[in-house]
Amino acid sequence: MHSTSSKHRTPRAAKTATALLAGTLALALTGCGGGDDKKDEGGPSGATESGSSLQLPKLDGQTLEVAAVWTGAEQDNFTKVLDEFKKRTGAKVDFVPTGNNTSTFLGTKIQGGQPPDVAFLPQVGVLHQFAEKGWIKPLGAEAQAQLDKNFSKGWRDLGAYKGKTYGIYAKAANKSLVWYNTAAFEAAGITDTPKTWKDFMSTAQTLSDAGSPAVSIGGADGWTLTDWFENVYLSQAGPEKYDQLAKHEIKWTDPSVKQALTTLAELWGKDDLIAGGRKRALATEFPKSVVQTFSGDTPAAMVFEGDFVAANINADTKAKMDTDAKVFPFPAVGADSPVVSGGDVAVALKDGKGPQALLTFLGSTDAAEIWAAQGGILSPNKAMDQGKYKDDVTRSIAKALIDAGDNFRFDMSDQAPAAFGGTQGIGEWKDLQDFLRNPSDVAGAQQKLEADAAKAYQNG
């Protein structure tokens, strides 16, 4: 399984997106004042009062169930969107967290005859699998109209399969970012953020020598490790190889994979550069990896992950965006810094007016602006008011995503069958956790990755 829009992306396009991201972030880091200087004009009530022309049906007496992976701050932020939908339609909406194994959770529900009305799928490969099985419903006319009006072709294509459109990418992610604790950088005398992998490793060593744990890694969640690999691989091997590996047209035993894993081992193999060392990293879940970078007596200096890190910074620490917490693009391992995107696609698992109405709302600028105002989210909705983002750093990252248009590479593991790229405890997630545990065994990691990939793609 692979992204339906991958054929529209070119190496030159990837470089364009890289330049846009790097340039926009550079402006954000040098030109921003206080991070929260723009007031939130939206909120659940603001969208209604703005004279929205969006028409939604009355759904009084109906109850909809929505399933997604989010918990904590991310769930709270999304609840604000659901609250506005309830206000406009009269429907009751219940949110159900799926846990990390979204496809397994939903598959069990569907086969048991109790699917949720709407679900967010975090992997393109799962959308393809569910569409193939007839488990999800094509978009209705109203939802399709919002999609066509507000989203670029690349994002529209990602929600389609075999000529039918099933989903709306209401939430996106830029997964090529490194967040850093400004106090740690200042204490170590570091004034410039690293632009290359060599600079990144040198910066990490300087931070460690100055007494700060250099890099926080949330290795208990295998998906964070796939993101590490994808950024290194895209920058080092290039977009064409990236697309080939994403479709399993080349094997994980390919020399390009060996090179990327060897590069990762330069960091993963040095306990003194990892907060708590490899053993603690493997016991650290993603939210904790953020918290331990921006709080505690000896916080880590850097944490790699997407724009959604901002939600955890805002909700779980006292750090202020663009003051205590700043961000720079993932360093260039090859000629260019990578631009890897991810996203969650909303699909209907039941027929009816209610699920389609919710998809219509999720595709609108109204919903996008309410969600963006909460912080910790990017929207690929190109028609929304960018001023609704909570802080200037997030606004700049969102602008880079929109300006890039269709010129991005989608998360590789999310394009794979769920058994390989999207399930806790098996496949790529486990194989990379094993590699973090023993980064010296590059060949062994390649063999395990290839064996698991071959099995999953054959069955996928």
Side-chain angles (χ1 to χ4, degrees):
M1 301 294 182
H2 62 280
S3 164
T4 55
S5 65
S6 61
K7 62 180 180 290
H8 300 295
R9 305 178 198 145
T10 64
R12 179 177 295 179
K15 291 182 180 181
T16 300
T18 299
L20 283 166
L21 173 64
T24 308
L25 283 182
L27 286 173
L29 296 178
T30 59
C32 293
D36 294 321
D37 58 334
K38 295 192 178 183
K39 301 295 184 183
D40 173 11
E41 300 169 4
S45 60
T48 303
E49 294 165 1
S50 66
S52 170
S53 61
L54 182 68
Q55 298 296 315
L56 296 172
K58 290 299 180 183
L59 301 171
D60 298 273
Q62 293 193 32
T63 298
L64 302 179
E65 187 173 85
V66 180
V69 70
W70 312 307
T71 58
E74 287 189 298
Q75 180 182 334
D76 292 342
N77 293 344
F78 178 57
T79 298
K80 301 294 194 305
V81 180
L82 296 181
D83 287 345
E84 180 64 17
F85 178 77
K86 290 187 282 187
K87 179 179 176 182
R88 296 192 191 190
T89 63
K92 180 183 178 185
V93 185
D94 295 328
F95 180 86
V96 180
T98 65
N100 277 334
N101 294 337
T102 300
S103 62
T104 302
F105 175 91
L106 293 174
T108 301
K109 285 273 195 177
I110 293 165
Q111 291 172 323
Q114 295 181 314
D117 294 270
V118 170
F120 280 83
L121 309 180
Q123 288 98 19
V124 179
V126 174
L127 182 144
H128 294 178
Q129 289 173 317
F130 281 20
E132 189 71 38
K133 293 178 179 179
W135 285 356
I136 53 179
K137 313 300 179 183
L139 291 187
E142 292 82 5
Q144 184 71 54
Q146 292 297 316
L147 180 68
D148 292 343
K149 181 171 66 172
N150 298 328
F151 294 79
S152 70
K153 178 175 169 46
W155 290 102
R156 297 198 303 269
D157 287 350
L158 283 168
Y161 182 67
K162 290 187 175 180
K164 291 184 179 180
T165 304
Y166 293 92
I168 295 177
Y169 274 87
K171 185 177 187 288
N174 182 318
K175 290 191 165 188
S176 298
L177 303 171
V178 179
W179 300 80
Y180 68 101
N181 184 319
T182 57
F185 270 53
E186 290 168 6
I190 300 170
T191 56
D192 295 323
T193 55
K195 305 296 190 295
T196 68
W197 181 259
K198 181 179 179 181
D199 292 342
F200 179 77
M201 291 298 298
S202 176
T203 298
Q205 190 64 59
T206 299
L207 289 161
S208 179
D209 291 345
S212 291
V215 183
S216 176
I217 298 177
D221 290 320
W223 59 267
T224 67
L225 304 183
T226 70
D227 290 346
W228 272 103
F229 172 82
E230 288 157 9
N231 276 275
V232 169
Y233 189 82
L234 176 57
S235 181
Q236 194 169 56
E240 292 181 6
K241 283 277 193 182
Y242 185 96
D243 291 342
Q244 291 169 358
L245 189 60
K247 292 180 266 191
H248 201 226
E249 292 176 351
I250 59 175
K251 295 184 176 182
W252 285 79
T253 48
D254 189 84
S256 62
V257 177
K258 177 182 179 180
Q259 187 179 21
L261 291 175
T262 301
T263 299
L264 270 178
E266 293 175 9
L267 173 65
W268 291 6
K270 293 187 177 180
D271 270 357
D272 60 315
L273 299 185
I274 300 172
R278 294 191 299 272
K279 184 175 181 180
R280 181 169 152 192
L282 284 163
T284 300
E285 295 178 337
F286 162 69
K288 185 179 177 182
S289 73
V290 178
V291 170
Q292 69 185 20
T293 307
F294 298 102
S295 61
D297 294 333
T298 55
M302 298 182 287
V303 61
F304 153 72
E305 252 313 333
D307 54 273
F308 43 83
V309 165
N312 297 86
I313 293 173
N314 289 331
D316 302 329
T317 78
K318 295 180 180 179
K320 300 298 182 184
M321 293 285 291
D322 201 43
T323 303
D324 307 312
K326 291 189 177 183
V327 64
F328 59 86
F330 195 94
V333 186
D336 299 290
S337 288
V339 179
V340 177
S341 181
D344 297 273
V345 59
V347 298
L349 282 76
K350 289 183 181 178
D351 290 313
K353 188 186 297 185
Q356 289 295 331
L358 182 52
L359 290 180
T360 299
F361 183 59
L362 290 170
S364 71
T365 57
D366 294 358
E369 290 168 5
I370 293 167
W371 209 348
Q374 311 311 313
I377 175 189
L378 296 186
S379 173
N381 189 316
K382 63 182 181 180
M384 68 167 283
D385 178 2
Q386 300 290 310
K388 296 294 184 180
Y389 282 104
K390 189 172 184 179
D391 59 81
D392 287 340
V393 171
T394 305
R395 192 174 300 114
S396 69
I397 298 169
K399 183 179 185 300
L401 181 72
I402 296 298
D403 288 349
D406 299 336
N407 302 330
F408 57 88
R409 283 301 190 277
F410 201 83
D411 184 298
M412 187 189 295
S413 63
D414 287 352
Q415 298 181 52
F420 180 66
T423 305
Q424 185 115 351
I426 63 173
E428 188 181 2
W429 291 19
K430 183 179 186 300
D431 295 342
L432 288 178
Q433 287 174 323
D434 290 343
F435 182 62
L436 174 58
R437 189 174 288 108
N438 181 17
S440 63
D441 189 11
V442 172
Q446 284 186 270
Q447 290 166 5
K448 290 174 65 178
L449 285 160
E450 175 54 28
D452 288 339
K455 180 179 179 181
Y457 278 84
Q458 182 178 5
N459 296 336

